Amino acid sequence: MDQVRSSASRIFNITSVEGRDDWDEKCDRTYGVVQNLITDLSEKEAHDALTSAVCKDAKTHEDVCVGLVYMILTDQPNAARCYRDLSFVSRDGLALVLSHLTQLVAERFPRLLDSVRSQLMWLIKELVRANVTGTDMVIWNLMRQIAGGDVAARNIWLAETLMDLLTDQRAWLDKFPFLIASVVYTYLRLIEDHMNPTHAFIRQKEINFCISLLREKFSDCMAIGRDLVRLLQHVARVPEFELLWKDILHNPKALLPTFTGLSQLMQIRTSRRFLFLRLTPDMEKKMIFLTSSVRFGNQKRYQDWFQRQYLSTPESQSLRCDLIRFIVGVIHPSNEVLCSDIIPRWAVLGWLLTTCTHPVAAANAKMALFYDWLFYDAERDNIMNIEPAILVMYHSMRPHPAITATLLDFLCRIIPNFYPPMANQVRLGILTSLRQILEKRVLPSLSPLMTNPKLDKELQLLIQDSFPEFCRATQNSSPPTVDGVKTEDFKELDGESMIVSSSSESVLAPPSLIPASDTNEPAFSDDEDQDDIPIATKMKMRGKMSTNSVRTIPAQLLEISNTVAQLDGDVRVYVEMLVSESDNEARCSAVENLVQSISQDPLGSEQAQMLVQCLHAIFVHDLSTTPLLTGPINPEAMEDSISRPMFVLLRCFAELVDDDSKNRTPIAELLVELYKLQPKTGYFLLYFLRASKASESKFASYREVCQARDMEVAHCLLEDLKICAEDDVNLLCYMAADVFQKFPDESRNNSELLHLYVSHIDGTQLYQLLVQCLHGALVLFDKDPSIVELLTSSLEWETFEQMALWQLVAAHNIPLSLLLSLLPKLKDDQHCEALTALMMMIKHERPNNDLLKALLNCPIESLISALLSHWSNESSTSLAQILANQFNSALNMNSLPGLSSNSSPGKRKRTTMNSLSAATGFKVTPTPGSGIDSSIELMMTHMEMLRTCLTANLLTKNGKQQPAEIKVFAHESMQQALQQVQQVCNDSQKKKFSDLFSLLDTNDEPEVSSGSRRPAGRGSKRTGNRLATNNSNRNSKQSNKEESEEESSEEEVIIKQRTAKKRRKANLVGSDSD
């Protein structure tokens, strides 16, 4: 096994410029550690040396494991021996090995030498055969290294080798539903790359493999969602898939009894985990860098490099679909990135579309871009998945009008052609997408697209036929104003509205001086195209216009000039101040005066509607120029954030609610109407109450708004906090203390609200919530039975969501008796998260009768055996006594028939079980041989599991047993309880628990004259080890050294006396054979 060490890497392809990295050098170092341990030793000696070394400390264990992995990868002749040594010496079930392999595969696989790749596949195959936990994630990461659009020999080899491994180990693969779906997603996509006749052999293997998984594991494959349909469309002309398509469309129940058809699949949004899968880690890094770090205008050289590296061959055109789906479904920029001058997603997508030359690839790329539109559901889908497509069309109108035209044409024609029987559903999905785009203010108006005169006449007619409501809306009404707080809602206004004229008419003068129809249309500068200016630059340009307290009117606010002109009296004056004034204090004062005016003289419905429209546009513009919070949440930032006109309105309303003497109904109605245009008003109010440290009475203002909206407070809270979670999760966590303290009846134990929190937070935010819980500032749960309903509903949540919930539960000291009532609803193969949390809680409790009663009635053997083993190590004596009590109680509760009534009280008092009854307070009168019921049998099953676990821990390094460790079964009360159960058991039950009954020490019972064997009564004495133990229990002050022959003879006399008594009792107690 000796190897010649070299300065060159034996595992990576490296150049003289790159040099060796830390991982490579670590492998060399650990290889040296292993070599020093096993050099010149036989196999047995080497194994002993390695075993001894890994026991020293964790670092040596890691070095030995990594060194053996390195030898497996670089020394093929000795790989089997190294793997055998690795399996024996690993002390963590090869978890450390899998961690290093995952890192190697995910980060360094492209640099591996060919020989090392072969050995890596051999090692993974061995891990699969050994069913090592965690190997499925290594294979998942390995699948990511199969590049799409690449038909190079190395890539083909990896795809084929991995497929052969999974085919050979199909039984292992069937255990991992997510891996099955990932494999189908990967190889369905690869079939498209292997359509060339030169790849016919591997293509046919992939087809057979995918068809087998789809037909046999269709329920697992459905988890892919709508992108499964997209991939199946790409291979629909393959005969095998044609048959599958017929079943999907016309006979769906042939695939799965609960499968209803294509519509069911299309309504499932594809998880990001699948979209990640078809980009190699290297591609992913480059694409994330491009969309998060490259400034708009500087992207060309990065795009050119990416084009040369990954998109330069004809086969690589299919990769564009993977890239588009990744950008649309995975890359969702933060508000900070959206507000910066980083290249936006639509620009990257436009580059991918304009550089596509293959017609089939171009059609597939457009389908990938619009795929989430077809069955869009505002409740289940994400606006960020449809935003890029509309922005690509909008921003391409001037530089690339052909792109806009072809995308609009595709969108119109896909409605009847996607699948004719479902044309109405597809139309509904696209219309819902367009409505959502307007509601979320991705674009303020669709008129630039729907009524663009530059479009072909035929296309214009097609658009009008396909989307008549939007064409009418753009013709008959002015573009809606901007809405929302998220900077993603402020992309760019209508094609002619971002930079306005500097003429005097652009400032809003008194209405009498400006005719309602004479407002100037803002126009682009002649010498620059505003579509190419980043959003942040436009904000700066807008800011430079301010010269005094009367500011240049922003373009968004010019649209409401007609509405302002129609307002009456003081209200119009105050609104004009809000529009034209640049001083923040003056604007806030205007809002205060406005509220006072309305509360004293309520407006009519028409005037109120116009005022709401004006306030809505003003507040939205304020938020677009100055986001609510741009950094950490601290007192200074909060004070600044609520020092703006919008929050002055909320403050005035809260003060009105606090003062019952004033009329607040008009302001409440105003807020309700504002709520309809700006759904974020609700959580703004909650944020204001929190940030201003409002008194508890002012929180009634939120309840009053809910009442005015004719909605329950709980429902309003949920809806408002959902919107907050989409905007800023840190803000959601910041408001948690007040939400759960001021609205306890509506929020605590509310499963929907708590699920909202745990589904959005990360580890840092969870820690912050836990800190607040331990401080007592945050109380999420009421200690009543409704918490069980909450925990029951949480069993369907994702793993992290459940674990986070249980950590929050643990921070609240919920009575364990409430949590134990959840046990009957749990299954060990489905609810591991809840079981794990309960086990950790129960572990810290001291065992008692009530706790053991609940646990022993639970059928989850692994949970009960783990807890009993833990308590056995902590206090075997008390555990044995409590277990004995439980057996006695169970026997007594079953109302078993008593023993013979002829036996005298004295005789019954001398029996084993009555002595135990006296000690425990229960009267037990079992019928020998009648058989135990299911509850006691379950308890015995748990005892058998406990025995098995403790027995497995008895062996020391020398193979000797340590009887002292199994005290729980050696305890006298436990021995007696098991004897009583043994008497009641029938023959089949005795056989079932024979190993457990073998722990009863009855080897040297005195013989009975009748020749039959009698059970050991309470008066009998045991010989050997058990005799010594009992004597020790009765005479605790005597040591083994003080035992004398005289004492032994006295014990023999006692044995004979008690044997005679037992013979007289023969008619009362049956033998073991009974």
Side-chain angles (χ1 to χ4, degrees):
M1 204 179 289
D2 295 339
Q3 302 287 343
V4 180
R5 298 183 64 184
S6 169
S7 59
S9 174
R10 298 173 53 210
I11 193 170
F12 296 123
N13 276 315
I14 59 174
T15 65
S16 57
V17 177
E18 291 175 331
R20 305 180 66 182
D21 62 11
D22 295 340
W23 207 90
D24 197 4
E25 292 177 353
K26 178 181 179 180
C27 288
D28 258 4
R29 179 181 60 79
T30 56
Y31 169 77
V33 170
V34 175
Q35 285 292 80
N36 291 336
L37 288 172
I38 65 175
T39 301
D40 299 328
L41 298 179
S42 65
E43 285 195 25
K44 184 178 183 307
E45 292 171 338
H47 174 70
D48 292 341
L50 292 172
T51 304
S52 176
V54 297
C55 294
K56 291 181 181 179
D57 52 55
K59 185 179 183 305
T60 307
H61 175 255
E62 180 181 0
D63 289 346
V64 170
C65 290
V66 175
L68 287 172
V69 170
Y70 182 73
M71 293 172 70
I72 292 172
L73 297 179
T74 58
D75 186 6
Q76 180 180 359
N78 294 301
R81 173 184 168 183
C82 293
Y83 176 73
R84 184 175 65 249
D85 289 339
L86 180 64
S87 302
F88 284 127
V89 303
S90 176
R91 303 173 64 195
D92 58 0
L94 297 176
L96 180 66
V97 172
L98 288 171
S99 174
H100 279 75
L101 286 179
T102 302
Q103 183 183 6
L104 176 66
V105 168
E107 300 176 7
R108 294 173 172 82
F109 185 84
R111 299 171 54 202
L112 290 179
L113 296 169
D114 289 346
S115 59
V116 176
R117 292 188 181 202
S118 300
Q119 284 303 108
L120 176 63
M121 295 302 298
W122 178 87
L123 176 56
I124 292 175
K125 189 172 184 177
E126 293 300 316
L127 294 173
V128 170
R129 285 177 175 173
N131 200 21
V132 177
T133 303
T135 310
D136 56 316
M137 292 311 299
V138 178
I139 289 180
W140 189 86
N141 280 282
L142 193 59
M143 280 195 298
R144 291 196 66 193
Q145 296 293 350
I146 306 175
D150 185 359
V151 292
R154 276 189 168 190
N155 203 54
I156 294 288
W157 174 86
L158 177 59
E160 185 172 11
T161 305
L162 186 56
M163 181 175 57
D164 291 341
L165 186 155
L166 295 172
T167 303
D168 293 340
Q169 303 297 325
R170 176 62 186 276
W172 175 86
L173 176 62
D174 289 345
K175 300 176 184 177
F176 303 96
F178 173 68
L179 185 59
I180 290 174
S182 301
V183 168
V184 169
Y185 187 84
T186 297
Y187 281 95
L188 267 180
R189 169 65 185 82
L190 293 177
I191 292 173
E192 183 183 359
D193 292 340
H194 300 155
M195 285 300 180
N196 193 295
T198 57
H199 305 125
F201 180 71
I202 184 174
R203 182 178 70 246
Q204 192 57 47
K205 290 173 66 174
E206 290 168 345
I207 291 170
N208 295 339
F209 184 47
C210 289
I211 287 292
S212 172
L213 288 174
L214 283 166
R215 289 198 173 276
E216 297 174 18
K217 295 290 180 180
F218 192 76
S219 60
D220 297 334
C221 298
M222 283 183 65
I224 299 174
R226 60 177 63 125
D227 273 74
L228 174 62
V229 180
R230 183 179 63 85
L231 294 179
L232 287 172
Q233 285 177 294
H234 291 181
V235 295
R237 295 186 181 277
V238 176
E240 290 86 348
F241 288 107
E242 283 185 3
L243 296 175
L244 181 66
W245 266 112
K246 289 180 180 179
D247 285 342
I248 291 175
L249 297 176
H250 307 299
N251 188 21
K253 295 194 180 299
L255 298 173
L256 188 69
T258 57
F259 180 48
T260 59
L262 182 63
S263 177
Q264 183 180 356
L265 272 178
M266 290 300 296
Q267 289 170 1
I268 301 174
R269 184 164 62 117
T270 299
S271 169
R272 293 183 177 191
R273 295 181 295 177
F274 296 109
L275 301 178
F276 264 114
L277 196 57
R278 290 319 312 132
L279 263 66
T280 65
D282 188 54
M283 289 182 196
E284 178 196 342
K285 289 179 183 177
K286 300 296 190 300
M287 194 55 64
I288 290 178
F289 173 80
L290 181 63
T291 54
S292 63
S293 302
V294 177
R295 295 183 182 277
F296 197 18
N298 299 334
Q299 71 271 19
K300 188 175 187 307
R301 63 193 184 100
Y302 300 100
Q303 292 173 347
D304 290 344
W305 181 93
F306 196 95
Q307 178 93 12
R308 290 193 304 271
Q309 185 75 11
Y310 300 113
L311 300 171
S312 58
T313 64
E315 297 84 2
S316 63
Q317 296 303 308
S318 62
L319 179 61
R320 294 180 190 274
C321 293
D322 301 330
L323 293 170
I324 290 172
R325 294 302 294 159
F326 178 79
I327 294 170
V328 168
V330 176
I331 298 181
H332 291 174
S334 65
N335 287 343
E336 182 180 359
V337 173
L338 287 169
C339 196
S340 70
D341 55 359
I342 299 299
I343 180 173
R345 292 190 300 166
W346 61 261
V348 181
L349 292 169
W351 160 64
L352 291 172
L353 291 170
T354 54
T355 56
C356 184
T357 57
H358 194 280
V360 175
N364 290 339
K366 286 182 281 188
M367 178 65 82
L369 180 63
F370 285 112
Y371 212 64
D372 291 305
W373 289 53
L374 305 184
F375 286 78
Y376 185 82
D377 185 333
E379 296 295 327
R380 292 191 298 266
D381 290 297
N382 192 334
I383 184 66
M384 297 294 282
N385 287 5
I386 62 173
E387 177 237 40
I390 196 71
L391 292 181
V392 168
M393 292 190 286
Y394 178 80
H395 290 286
S396 298
M397 284 191 299
R398 291 189 178 182
H400 303 286
I403 288 292
T404 300
T406 189
L407 290 178
L408 281 171
D409 182 76
F410 180 88
L411 192 60
C412 294
R413 296 184 187 277
I414 197 65
I415 294 174
N417 293 316
F418 177 76
Y419 182 48
M422 296 172 61
N424 290 334
Q425 290 178 263
V426 175
R427 181 187 300 277
L428 178 61
I430 294 176
L431 292 178
T432 304
S433 302
L434 293 172
R435 293 189 190 105
Q436 191 80 352
I437 285 167
L438 291 178
E439 289 174 7
K440 296 295 185 181
R441 292 331 215 196
V442 176
L443 287 180
S445 172
L446 294 176
S447 60
L449 292 174
M450 299 298 180
T451 60
N452 187 354
K454 296 180 180 179
L455 296 177
D456 181 79
K457 293 296 183 183
E458 183 180 350
L459 179 56
Q460 290 184 25
L461 292 174
L462 182 61
I463 293 173
Q464 291 176 8
D465 291 340
S466 301
F467 313 115
E469 64 176 279
F470 296 102
C471 294
R472 285 196 300 270
T474 55
Q475 292 169 0
N476 299 332
S477 63
S478 60
T481 56
V482 186
D483 191 7
V485 174
K486 290 174 69 175
T487 53
E488 70 191 33
D489 297 343
F490 305 98
K491 300 297 178 186
E492 204 173 304
L493 291 181
D494 198 30
E496 345 68 356
S497 61
M498 189 52 80
I499 294 182
V500 299
S501 169
S502 59
S503 66
S504 60
E505 291 182 352
S506 64
V507 179
L508 192 65
S512 59
L513 302 180
I514 300 180
S517 60
D518 196 30
T519 55
N520 283 356
E521 286 292 334
F524 283 113
S525 171
D526 293 335
D527 58 351
E528 84 182 329
D529 186 352
Q530 296 304 316
D531 282 337
D532 295 330
I533 299 179
I535 297 169
T537 307
K538 294 170 184 173
M539 297 295 185
K540 294 176 183 177
M541 293 170 63
R542 199 180 305 167
K544 292 178 181 178
M545 298 177 186
S546 178
T547 58
N548 51 40
S549 62
V550 179
R551 63 179 177 178
T552 302
I553 305 303
Q556 296 97 317
L557 301 185
L558 285 175
E559 298 178 356
I560 63 171
S561 58
N562 290 341
T563 308
V564 174
Q566 298 177 43
L567 293 173
D568 297 334
D570 292 340
V571 173
R572 182 183 62 198
V573 176
Y574 299 140
V575 174
E576 288 173 359
M577 289 182 63
L578 284 172
V579 172
S580 60
E581 185 67 53
S582 62
D583 181 67
N584 189 61
E585 291 185 5
R587 300 177 77 228
C588 292
S589 177
V591 174
E592 290 182 348
N593 294 331
L594 178 64
V595 171
Q596 184 177 1
S597 174
I598 295 173
S599 60
Q600 293 175 355
D601 185 12
L603 301 175
S605 59
E606 185 177 352
Q607 286 284 306
Q609 285 293 334
M610 290 189 290
L611 175 60
V612 167
Q613 293 176 14
C614 295
L615 292 178
H616 168 62
I618 293 167
F619 293 160
V620 165
H621 174 261
D622 291 349
L623 288 166
S624 67
T625 55
T626 308
L628 187 62
L629 289 170
T630 57
I633 300 177
N634 53 55
E636 294 79 10
M638 289 187 299
E639 184 175 355
D640 291 342
S641 68
I642 61 176
S643 299
R644 59 178 76 191
M646 177 181 65
F647 288 104
V648 173
L649 173 62
L650 300 177
R651 171 171 60 81
C652 292
F653 177 67
E655 290 173 351
L656 287 173
V657 172
D658 206 23
D659 186 357
D660 290 335
S661 63
K662 296 182 179 180
N663 182 19
R664 57 182 179 270
T665 303
I667 309 301
E669 294 174 350
L670 179 70
L671 287 177
V672 170
E673 294 301 319
L674 193 59
Y675 218 119
K676 295 176 182 178
L677 295 178
Q678 174 56 286
K680 299 174 184 179
T681 303
Y683 93 73
F684 287 163
L685 178 56
L686 289 172
Y687 170 70
F688 167 75
L689 295 172
R690 170 70 166 161
S692 62
K693 300 179 181 177
S695 62
E696 186 166 356
S697 60
K698 289 184 178 179
F699 276 85
S701 60
Y702 184 81
R703 294 184 180 275
E704 190 151 329
V705 171
C706 297
Q707 184 179 356
R709 295 179 65 202
D710 197 21
M711 294 176 63
E712 295 183 356
V713 176
H715 182 68
C716 287
L717 277 175
L718 183 62
E719 294 301 319
D720 292 339
L721 294 179
K722 277 183 180 178
I723 298 172
C724 179
E726 293 177 2
D727 283 355
D728 191 342
V729 180
N730 288 323
L731 191 58
L732 178 73
C733 296
Y734 172 73
M735 296 192 299
D738 274 351
V739 168
F740 286 89
Q741 182 181 2
K742 308 301 183 184
F743 308 98
D745 296 336
E746 295 84 1
S747 59
R748 294 179 186 174
N749 293 0
N750 185 324
S751 61
E752 291 183 311
L753 188 57
L754 288 165
H755 184 241
L756 172 68
Y757 271 86
V758 298
S759 63
H760 284 84
I761 61 176
D762 58 19
T764 302
Q765 292 150 351
L766 173 61
Y767 172 74
Q768 293 170 354
L769 292 178
L770 289 171
V771 169
Q772 293 184 62
C773 291
L774 293 180
H775 284 166
L778 176 61
V779 180
L780 302 173
F781 309 102
D782 283 331
K783 300 176 182 179
D784 58 43
S786 64
I787 193 173
V788 180
E789 299 176 8
L790 162 66
L791 295 174
T792 302
S793 65
S794 73
L795 298 177
E796 303 298 326
W797 298 355
E798 295 291 337
T799 294
F800 175 80
E801 297 167 359
Q802 291 193 54
M803 299 302 286
L805 176 68
W806 278 103
Q807 291 196 45
L808 293 169
V809 170
H812 281 73
N813 295 323
I814 305 296
L816 191 59
S817 58
L818 283 176
L819 302 180
L820 287 176
S821 59
L822 183 67
L823 274 178
K825 304 176 182 179
L826 302 181
K827 297 181 180 180
D828 55 353
D829 58 341
Q830 297 179 18
H831 308 130
C832 296
E833 297 87 353
L835 288 172
T836 300
L838 278 174
M839 182 167 60
M840 291 299 100
M841 291 182 183
I842 299 173
K843 167 189 170 184
H844 298 293
E845 297 290 322
R846 293 178 63 87
N848 56 57
N849 284 318
D850 293 337
L851 177 58
L852 265 294
K853 181 178 181 180
L855 292 178
L856 292 176
N857 287 326
C858 174
I860 304 177
E861 298 177 3
S862 56
L863 171 69
I864 308 307
S865 62
L867 292 170
L868 293 178
S869 298
H870 171 73
W871 287 327
S872 174
N873 294 330
E874 295 289 327
S875 178
S876 61
T877 301
S878 61
L879 177 63
Q881 185 63 47
I882 296 171
L883 288 173
N885 291 348
Q886 292 303 314
F887 276 108
N888 266 329
S889 177
L891 289 168
N892 194 40
M893 292 296 291
N894 287 327
S895 301
L896 297 174
L899 298 177
S900 173
S901 59
N902 296 330
S903 55
S904 66
K907 291 181 180 180
R908 288 198 303 274
K909 190 173 183 179
R910 287 192 295 269
T911 61
T912 301
M913 209 58 225
N914 280 326
S915 297
L916 183 59
S917 299
T920 60
F922 295 107
K923 181 179 179 181
V924 181
T925 56
T927 300
S930 60
I932 55 177
D933 67 1
S934 58
S935 62
I936 303 177
E937 190 167 0
L938 178 60
M939 295 167 62
M940 289 295 290
T941 302
H942 291 317
M943 295 302 101
E944 174 62 19
M945 285 294 296
L946 176 61
R947 182 199 66 79
T948 304
C949 295
L950 294 179
T951 303
N953 295 329
L954 287 179
L955 297 179
T956 63
K957 296 176 183 178
N958 299 325
K960 296 180 180 179
Q961 290 189 343
Q962 300 173 351
E965 292 184 7
I966 198 165
K967 293 178 182 178
V968 65
F969 288 113
H971 194 275
E972 181 179 7
S973 61
M974 193 63 189
Q975 287 271 317
Q976 293 169 348
L978 291 177
Q979 287 176 8
Q980 179 64 15
V981 173
Q982 183 185 31
Q983 291 179 10
V984 183
C985 286
N986 55 37
D987 291 341
S988 63
Q989 291 168 341
K990 288 179 181 179
K991 182 178 181 181
K992 178 179 179 180
F993 302 112
S994 58
D995 291 337
L996 190 59
F997 291 141
S998 67
L999 298 177
L1000 298 175
D1001 196 350
T1002 57
N1003 293 332
D1004 295 323
E1005 289 182 359
E1007 294 182 358
V1008 182
S1009 59
S1010 62
S1012 62
R1013 197 161 47 87
R1014 296 174 182 269
R1018 191 162 295 166
S1020 66
K1021 282 286 185 176
R1022 302 171 181 84
T1023 59
N1025 292 336
R1026 184 61 186 164
L1027 178 60
T1029 302
N1030 289 341
N1031 286 335
S1032 176
N1033 291 334
R1034 296 187 187 91
N1035 306 292
S1036 60
K1037 295 183 181 180
Q1038 290 184 353
S1039 65
N1040 291 334
K1041 295 182 180 179
E1042 294 173 347
E1043 292 181 356
S1044 63
E1045 294 180 358
E1046 181 178 355
E1047 291 170 342
S1048 299
S1049 63
E1050 291 175 359
E1051 290 168 355
E1052 292 174 4
V1053 172
I1054 294 172
I1055 288 173
K1056 292 177 180 179
Q1057 293 173 351
R1058 294 187 177 179
T1059 300
K1061 294 176 181 179
K1062 288 170 63 179
R1063 288 173 180 169
R1064 290 194 300 270
K1065 206 172 66 174
N1067 292 331
L1068 297 178
V1069 181
S1071 65
D1072 287 344
S1073 61
D1074 294 334

